[in-house]
Amino acid sequence: MGHKYLLLAFCLWALTCLLLPASSNGVVRINLKKRPLDLQSITAAKMARKKSGESVKGMYNYLGSSDEVTVPLKNYLDAQYYGQIGVGTPPQNFTVIFDTGSSNLWVPSSKCFFSIACYFHSKYKSTKSTSYSKIGKSCEINYGSGSISGFFSQDSVEVGDLAVKNQIFIEATREGSLAFLLAKFDGILGLGFQEISVGDAVPVWYNMLRQNVVDDDVFSFWFNRDPNAKEGGEIVFGGVDPKHYKGKHTYVPVTKKGYWQFDMGDFLIGNHSTGICEGGCAAIVDSGTSLLVGPTPVITEINHAIGAEGFVNAECKQVVTQYGDLIWDLLVSGVTPNKVCSQIGLCLFNRARSVIRSVVERENMNGSLPRDDLLCTACEMTVIWIQTQLRQKGTKDKVLQYVNELCDNLPSPSAEAVIECEKISNMPNITFTIGEKPFTLTPEQYILRTGEGLSTICISGFMALDVPAPRGPLWILGDVFMGVYHTVFDFGDLQLGFAEAA
């Protein structure tokens, strides 16, 4: 794999790990703009990674102008969407990610002296705002690509042409990762529930409703995935624009407040069920996550099906070679899948493990897990894979050969899932079952392309991550999914709506 391919794969992985015009009649529209690939920023990210080993979230953003009363946003690599808000009176402008996977608003503080990242971004100066109120309580937020810490303050916030008064937010005084140094966004505006808000701070969206600045208690996202489009999409606060979707939305209830979480049904690769979600899987819709994130065993099957490059996992191959026949026989005889590995002595406990540790997690722990634990994890993945193939009525030899090949496609620690662009037409569709209806992604929709001609690079839109219990296992439907399906976040009726994007 060439350095160019590894580099782009790293950038897309890093984008994911962190973590949107006119207004009238209580509806606020926030436009999104497109931005072509910036190779200089990617080169900078590679240099930073070599020096520190840390990851980078979003790295480029440009805010244009508009004749309408709008907040224009940019789309970087179909992977992150940014926009501008104002904090204070008169408003001080900041570029933020509108993130349904978190609930706090934070921007860099003028009191941030010891983090280099703060010197490359706009900083909030409380002394220049006539509506500022001091709070001062310290706090910290941990994201996938780093953490920020600071203290709470209170001031007015402008979103579009709406003014939200007395909004509690965080002045960040430390940004603990190169992710924030190289990112072009200044902060994050969380659109999740207050239940996951650090310090129990009231989110901006809640205050929009309480202060009656929007008419309806819904907001909706439309992401334009057309690489040649000038407008990247739109988020509407207080309504839904019928121009942005086709047909009717399929609604499912929010099952757990915090993230926008719901129950997802069966998951198919091509026309074949993986069986992993037949009994239901917890999933969240997260506008702050670039890719589609799921449990390692299923993502590995997808990587294998689409030909994404991974790395050889020795423990996985050892389990298949030494225990594959026995696992097959136990499953055929009717042994419950979650008891197989304990029965053959690879998982030395009586109760089933609730989740499978991800390859990424193991690597990040620098191999600190005992070898027995690695074999247990490999066994659990093997059981899932063989169980899936049993549903397809394959022969033992062919199934074990297939499972052995899956070991080669386990995601690497930095998720370099690069594929050959000319093979896209032969790749399978991937289908999520939501509200008992299929939501299908074609290869053209789940593969990210950048560049032209011989310089075109193709990246898988899937990433492996195993969220631990009790919140996991958990699927995360990020921008790759939201770009295909217009999404309504219905706060009033606690439900999510999905329809084909127009």
Side-chain angles (χ1 to χ4, degrees):
M1 187 185 301
H3 295 297
K4 175 175 64 174
Y5 296 83
L6 286 170
L7 182 53
L8 185 65
F10 161 71
C11 291
L12 283 172
W13 164 72
L15 283 168
T16 297
C17 287
L18 195 63
L19 322 144
L20 262 165
S23 170
S24 64
N25 298 325
V27 176
V28 178
R29 303 177 187 274
I30 298 179
N31 289 344
L32 295 90
K33 304 289 186 181
K34 287 282 183 176
R35 178 71 185 185
L37 175 63
D38 177 26
L39 296 178
Q40 290 184 342
S41 290
I42 289 183
T43 302
K46 181 178 181 181
M47 296 295 293
R49 186 189 184 204
K50 285 183 176 179
K51 291 180 180 179
S52 72
E54 293 185 292
S55 61
V56 183
K57 193 174 178 183
M59 290 162 300
Y60 206 95
N61 169 52
Y62 170 77
L63 293 175
S65 61
S66 173
D67 294 331
E68 302 179 50
V69 181
T70 66
V71 179
L73 283 84
K74 292 292 180 180
N75 168 10
Y76 174 66
L77 285 177
D78 280 345
Q80 286 293 347
Y81 297 83
Y82 308 94
Q84 185 172 283
I85 65 170
V87 181
T89 307
Q92 301 171 39
N93 292 331
F94 298 92
T95 301
V96 298
I97 294 175
F98 289 85
D99 178 22
T100 60
S102 65
S103 299
N104 291 87
L105 168 62
W106 68 266
V107 295
S109 172
S110 61
K111 298 179 177 63
C112 180
F113 302 116
F114 302 108
S115 289
I116 298 177
C118 290
Y119 292 92
F120 290 85
H121 294 95
S122 300
K123 293 187 286 187
Y124 170 78
K125 300 177 178 64
S126 59
T127 55
K128 292 189 175 182
S129 174
T130 59
S131 50
Y132 162 76
S133 294
K134 180 180 179 179
I135 297 179
K137 182 179 179 181
S138 61
C139 59
E140 180 177 358
I141 301 179
N142 293 301
Y143 296 99
S145 56
S147 63
I148 65 100
S149 60
F151 58 90
F152 285 107
S153 292
Q154 182 174 287
D155 210 332
S156 61
V157 173
E158 288 190 359
V159 180
D161 62 352
L162 298 181
V164 179
K165 300 178 180 178
N166 303 318
Q167 176 64 47
I168 295 176
F169 67 101
I170 298 170
E171 290 191 48
T173 56
R174 183 186 64 83
E175 299 182 27
S177 170
L178 283 180
F180 301 114
L181 171 61
L182 296 180
K184 295 300 181 181
F185 65 87
D186 301 312
I188 293 176
L189 190 155
L191 292 170
F193 290 90
Q194 190 171 352
E195 279 77 359
I196 60 171
S197 176
V198 171
D200 198 34
V202 178
V204 174
W205 169 244
Y206 282 50
N207 279 329
M208 283 186 182
L209 297 176
R210 293 177 182 179
Q211 297 175 23
N212 296 315
V213 296
V214 292
D215 282 346
D216 201 356
D217 47 10
V218 303
F219 59 90
S220 55
F221 277 88
W222 169 65
F223 291 158
N224 189 347
R225 306 296 273 188
D226 179 358
N228 298 315
K230 294 182 180 179
E231 299 298 320
E234 184 175 82
I235 176 174
V236 179
F237 287 106
V240 178
D241 190 335
K243 297 194 303 293
H244 294 329
Y245 64 90
K246 302 175 184 177
K248 295 182 179 180
H249 287 83
T250 296
Y251 283 92
V252 290
V254 172
T255 55
K256 188 173 183 179
K257 292 171 67 176
Y259 302 120
W260 286 87
Q261 184 171 323
F262 66 100
D263 283 336
M264 185 173 70
D266 199 9
F267 180 86
L268 288 78
I269 300 176
N271 296 320
H272 301 294
S273 167
T274 63
I276 194 69
C277 290
E278 276 193 339
C281 281
I284 67 172
V285 186
D286 183 4
S287 62
T289 294
S290 308
L291 307 180
L292 285 156
V293 180
T296 300
V298 184
I299 299 301
T300 303
E301 288 197 67
I302 295 172
N303 282 345
H304 178 76
I306 68 178
E309 298 182 14
F311 71 94
V312 176
N313 185 303
E315 288 80 10
C316 179
K317 283 185 170 290
Q318 179 183 342
V319 167
V320 176
T321 301
Q322 296 183 7
Y323 301 97
D325 285 326
L326 181 55
I327 292 173
W328 171 279
D329 293 340
L330 289 172
L331 288 172
V332 170
S333 68
V335 175
T336 305
N338 60 17
K339 295 182 179 179
V340 168
C341 295
S342 59
Q343 286 201 14
I344 64 179
L346 290 182
C347 294
L348 302 178
F349 35 77
N350 294 325
R351 63 183 180 83
R353 290 158 63 95
S354 58
V355 297
I356 297 174
R357 295 177 189 264
S358 68
V359 175
V360 175
E361 178 186 5
R362 299 205 308 269
E363 292 292 332
N364 287 342
M365 296 175 71
N366 297 316
S368 61
L369 285 176
R371 176 169 170 75
D372 288 345
D373 202 2
L374 295 178
L375 289 173
C376 176
T377 299
C379 178
E380 290 174 320
M381 287 192 291
T382 301
V383 168
I384 291 175
W385 293 335
I386 292 179
Q387 180 73 7
T388 299
Q389 291 304 301
L390 279 172
R391 299 171 186 273
Q392 313 302 330
K393 303 186 184 303
T395 63
K396 180 191 290 188
D397 289 343
K398 288 185 176 180
V399 169
L400 293 182
Q401 179 183 352
Y402 169 77
V403 171
N404 195 57
E405 291 172 356
L406 288 180
C407 291
D408 294 334
N409 292 93
L410 282 168
S412 63
S414 52
E416 291 104 350
V418 177
I419 60 97
E420 297 181 31
C421 296
E422 59 269 23
K423 294 183 178 180
I424 289 180
S425 60
N426 297 321
M427 294 178 186
N429 291 340
I430 304 297
T431 301
F432 299 85
T433 304
I434 300 174
E436 300 183 350
K437 295 183 179 180
F439 287 80
T440 298
L441 299 180
T442 66
E444 290 77 12
Q445 292 168 335
Y446 65 71
I447 297 297
L448 303 183
R449 288 176 178 260
T450 187
E452 296 180 355
L454 296 177
S455 63
T456 300
I457 301 172
C458 293
I459 306 294
S460 170
F462 293 90
M463 175 179 173
L465 179 67
D466 296 304
V467 178
R471 188 171 290 277
L474 190 68
W475 282 86
I476 304 174
L477 307 187
D479 298 345
V480 169
F481 182 86
M482 294 177 67
V484 180
Y485 294 103
H486 179 270
T487 307
V488 176
F489 296 79
D490 189 337
F491 185 84
D493 291 330
L494 287 181
Q495 60 182 358
L496 286 156
F498 304 97
E500 182 182 355

